Amino acid sequence: MTTGTEALVRRAYHLAEGDVLDARGFREMFAEDGVFTGIGGVAGEDSYRGEQLGDVVTWMGKLLPDVHRELRRVNVLGDVAAIEVSIQGTFLGPFETPAGVIAPTGAKLDIPTADFWYVRDGKVREFRCHLGFAAFFAQLGVLPDFASAVAASAPGR
């Protein structure tokens, strides 16, 4: 049996699919004071509110035009949904970083993600998205530079 919370969350995922990409519709799923957090990019955790709520839908659609979210496990308890997700798609858009732009490679990505949705009165109050950045970066071909990190933390610095 699908609850109202689950139906709302599934609708939000649908609006963010590559063949839909309805940023306005996604934004309208949120309460007036709703927030989308946790997606943190290379510069740290980001938080989106109001008109910004659709920005991640647009950004992801540019990065992975065929983006699809495979819902692996959906657990709903009242107004809270905890979902294990795989964000899948082809890396065809540029990925901006503080060091510059990573050009698209055409790589097929499958990014493990944990999402937590908090709903009240039929609207999303908070959406926390936790991307598996280690897997995401590895699939992009962006591997950590351990040598530089070790050198930077050497005693006497």
Side-chain angles (χ1 to χ4, degrees):
M1 181 173 90
T2 302
T3 67
T5 296
E6 183 175 342
L8 180 87
V9 168
R10 287 183 181 275
R11 174 87 179 130
Y13 283 123
H14 170 75
L15 294 171
E17 288 288 285
D19 60 349
V20 178
L21 294 176
D22 182 354
R24 179 177 173 212
F26 182 83
R27 185 175 61 245
E28 291 173 353
M29 303 292 295
F30 285 76
E32 191 173 316
D33 61 345
V35 62
F36 179 173
T37 62
I39 189 97
V42 292
E45 184 175 297
D46 290 326
S47 183
Y48 303 89
R49 296 176 188 279
E51 293 296 315
Q52 300 173 325
L53 286 165
D55 291 354
V56 174
V57 171
T58 303
W59 174 80
M60 187 65 75
K62 289 178 183 173
L63 185 71
L64 309 171
D66 60 346
V67 66
H68 169 67
R69 288 158 185 87
E70 185 68 29
L71 306 185
R72 302 284 182 199
R73 290 197 177 125
V74 177
N75 298 289
V76 179
L77 182 59
D79 289 342
V80 178
I83 303 178
E84 180 183 345
V85 183
S86 290
I87 298 176
Q88 303 167 338
T90 310
F91 177 34
L92 298 176
F95 181 58
E96 294 183 31
T97 76
V101 175
I102 299 171
T105 63
K108 297 288 186 186
L109 304 184
D110 190 347
I111 309 158
T113 308
D115 288 345
F116 300 90
W117 299 81
Y118 301 88
V119 175
R120 189 177 309 139
D121 299 325
K123 293 285 190 174
V124 177
R125 297 287 307 206
E126 183 178 4
F127 171 34
R128 295 194 59 78
C129 177
H130 300 279
L131 241 51
F133 274 103
F136 177 41
F137 289 149
Q139 291 172 33
L140 286 177
V142 180
L143 301 176
D145 182 358
F146 291 113
S148 293
V150 169
S153 67
R157 295 200 102 221

